[in-house]
Amino acid sequence: MKISIIGTGYVGLVTGACLADKGHHVTCVDLNAQRVDALNRAEPPIYEEGLPELLTKNVGKTLSATTDLKAAVLATDVTFIAVGTPFNGREIDLTYVLRAAEQIGEALKQKDSYHLVVVKSTVVPGTTDTRVLAALEAGSGKRAGADFGVGMNPEFLSEGEAVSDFMVPDRIVLGGIDARSIAVLGEVYAPFEAHVPRLATNPRTAEMIKYASNALQAELISFTNELANVGAAIGGIDTVEVMRGVHLSQYFTGRNAEGLPPITSFLKAGCGFGGSCFPKDVKALIVHGENLGAHVPMLKGVIEINEAQPKKTVALLNKHWPSLEGRGVAVLGLAFKPGTNDVRESPAFPVMNELLAAGAKVSAFDPIAMHEAREAFPDARVRYADSMEAALDGAEAVIVVTPWADFKGLPALVGDRVLVDPRRAYDKASVARYEGIGL
Ligand code: NAD
């Protein structure tokens, strides 16, 4: 394929050199003429292991550079935008991305054949399918989808290992406004090894995957630093050993049935955690740390977010009914997770509290923990039912707080009721009226 890449920094240059090595014909574009000249002499303008060899091998054959953006776009089928997106102290600075998109649009005005424009820069979710798409349409006078495609392909390389990260990525995310955009972007990555997982999605989700990946890693670093501060306040604790003890857990080192580390089961949105340990242990550490003078905003944030999730779950019903007064709502799954009769701190109780406070008529069922639930939540306004079917009787909505395997057949019984599935245990197309957290 013929590919142009706008921006020849760490990401653009590595992308260009690697795609050229994979057999595509790549034109790198940069405003910086010195950078362009160096590249055309096969001299890497940045230090990155493996890059000099790639340039020596491919410059003059499948790889070249220019300052002429328009000519590069007109001579290629796909254009990547890989310019910088710094934080300007207030917000992400999209000046370079939008300027590049306008320039690409102006070039597309003169192009008759289909062209795909792909954002590779890291941009806040919603940028590609609104602002970039609008800049391309304004510049070209053409319509996205009909005349050209728009994609979003986040980059996960890390400097220092950029070439090997790009050549053998752990995943390829193919975001596109339509099937054709995704298909053409897929062709760019066709020469990559077949075992590399590919995820096709819309541009916003692709943008969010990049931010989610970076934010998670950043949070884990700050989390460890917060623990180190608590450890230092307590005294006699070596946080390196603490974290070593944490890392040894099978949750990080093992593999579940899907071949993933079991810790991934916690990286799912839902109506919050419960159980006999997480809430009380996090709260105890907060109080202990604060009593000793440690600052624990992250641990406090963990509790704050968790306590808000049951409200968010019930609020999904307000999309269908502004008031829940008199509405029948069945709550399924009362144990704090499947496979136990432990109901301590189960999110089912704050969910039921929210429903009752809103005036809903609540029925409830759990295959194992009925006795424990009745004792823990002895509110006469709740009708504890003998079966899933009995709980659904008279209900206009059903919330599955704890997705026991026994509830597998639920979609067939839902009919025109609203199914609220905070744990995302069901296919969203399995019922007519579906709501889930994170949709
Ligand atoms: P960079 O600053 O190194 O390079 C950007 C280049 O774009 C510069 O050489 C600049 O001259 C050029 N440029 C800007 N506007 C242009 C235009 N209109 N026409 C032609 N050239 C233009 O940036 P980078 O570190 O490669 O990052 C690029 C994007 O990739 C950013 O959004 C960044 O967040 C993301 N990203 C970076 C990394 C990384 O490790 N550096 C990893 C993943 C994603």
Side-chain angles (χ1 to χ4, degrees):
M1 290 176 100
K2 291 186 180 134
I3 298 170
S4 44
I5 299 178
I6 316 304
T8 310
Y10 288 89
V11 167
L13 178 54
V14 170
T15 302
C18 292
L19 290 180
D21 200 60
K22 292 280 188 190
H24 294 302
H25 286 263
V26 178
T27 309
C28 287
V29 181
D30 207 287
L31 300 167
N32 183 331
Q34 280 177 324
R35 187 164 271 238
V36 165
D37 291 343
L39 185 50
N40 281 327
R41 291 192 303 270
E43 290 167 14
I46 55 167
Y47 176 78
E48 196 59 60
E49 199 177 312
L51 193 56
E53 292 81 357
L54 284 184
L55 297 191
T56 306
K57 187 173 158 204
N58 297 301
V59 168
K61 295 181 190 115
T62 51
L63 181 61
S64 64
T66 178
T67 53
D68 190 343
L69 184 148
K70 190 177 188 178
V73 171
L74 289 176
T76 53
D77 312 308
V78 179
T79 301
F80 282 88
I81 300 176
V83 299
T85 50
F87 187 75
N88 66 13
R90 264 183 315 111
E91 59 183 357
I92 184 173
D93 183 353
L94 293 174
T95 314
Y96 305 106
V97 168
L98 297 178
R99 180 71 198 117
E102 276 165 23
Q103 291 174 310
I104 296 165
E106 281 158 23
L108 291 182
K109 205 187 278 180
Q110 294 178 16
K111 205 175 172 214
D112 295 330
S113 55
Y114 182 84
H115 197 94
L116 175 69
V117 182
V118 182
V119 175
K120 198 169 230 331
S121 300
T122 303
V123 291
V124 285
T127 301
T128 300
D129 64 4
T130 57
R131 301 184 68 185
V132 171
L133 188 148
L136 290 166
E137 286 191 334
S140 64
K142 295 183 171 182
R143 279 198 32 244
D147 305 314
F148 62 90
V150 180
M152 202 289 148
N153 169 226
E155 183 48 57
F156 301 101
L157 65 77
S158 120
E159 287 174 24
E161 295 144 28
V163 170
S164 56
D165 282 351
F166 196 95
M167 285 303 212
V168 191
D170 55 7
R171 59 198 144 153
I172 297 170
V173 176
L174 309 166
I177 56 162
D178 53 19
R180 189 173 182 188
S181 302
I182 293 173
V184 175
L185 184 52
E187 282 176 47
V188 173
Y189 286 97
F192 286 68
E193 289 181 33
H195 69 79
V196 176
R198 286 153 166 83
L199 180 82
T201 185
N202 64 33
R204 287 174 184 221
T205 306
E207 291 162 333
M208 193 59 155
I209 289 170
K210 174 66 188 173
Y211 275 96
S213 302
N214 278 1
L216 174 66
Q217 292 176 25
E219 280 191 27
L220 292 177
I221 292 169
S222 288
F223 167 76
T224 307
N225 286 330
E226 187 165 298
L227 281 191
N229 295 338
V230 173
I234 295 170
I237 291 171
D238 183 341
T239 301
V240 171
E241 272 180 41
V242 170
M243 295 322 289
R244 176 90 187 115
V246 171
H247 297 167
L248 289 173
S249 160
Q250 282 293 310
Y251 274 104
F252 293 95
T253 58
R255 287 283 179 270
N256 64 17
E258 295 162 63
L260 299 170
I263 192 76
T264 52
S265 68
F266 295 118
L267 298 178
K268 288 181 177 168
C271 50
F273 59 75
S276 63
C277 297
F278 283 8
K280 84 171 171 61
D281 293 350
V282 176
K283 286 176 188 167
L285 191 58
I286 290 170
V287 173
H288 195 52
E290 283 195 322
N291 285 345
L292 292 164
H295 186 46
V296 287
M298 194 165 227
L299 291 170
K300 287 168 96 170
V302 166
I303 296 296
E304 187 188 322
I305 292 165
N306 198 54
E307 290 181 348
Q309 287 310 102
K311 284 192 181 62
K312 296 215 177 289
T313 302
V314 173
L316 292 170
L317 291 175
N318 293 123
K319 288 188 185 174
H320 300 265
W321 303 286
S323 164
L324 298 182
E325 188 67 47
R327 302 270 169 205
V329 181
V331 176
L332 297 183
L334 307 173
F336 87 90
K337 66 173 185 178
T340 178
N341 65 339
D342 195 347
V343 298
R344 280 178 288 177
E345 303 269 357
S346 169
F349 302 138
V351 164
M352 293 203 289
N353 265 329
E354 285 293 320
L355 290 169
L356 291 171
K361 288 191 281 184
V362 178
S363 56
F365 174 71
D366 187 284
I368 296 292
M370 287 306 279
H371 170 71
E372 293 78 359
R374 269 200 195 92
E375 287 207 331
F377 201 88
D379 193 309
R381 292 171 296 173
V382 176
R383 177 172 65 84
Y384 284 102
D386 295 334
S387 65
M388 170 167 75
E389 291 79 359
L392 290 180
D393 201 18
E396 293 167 88
V398 50
I399 304 179
V400 184
V401 174
T402 303
W404 286 88
D406 305 51
F407 303 151
K408 222 170 163 187
L410 176 66
L413 305 173
V414 164
D416 66 353
R417 295 179 183 90
V418 175
L419 171 61
V420 179
D421 176 24
R423 309 267 189 209
R424 306 291 295 278
Y426 300 97
D427 180 349
K428 32 183 201 265
S430 63
V431 295
R433 300 162 88 195
Y434 179 93
E435 297 291 349
I437 295 279
L439 262 183

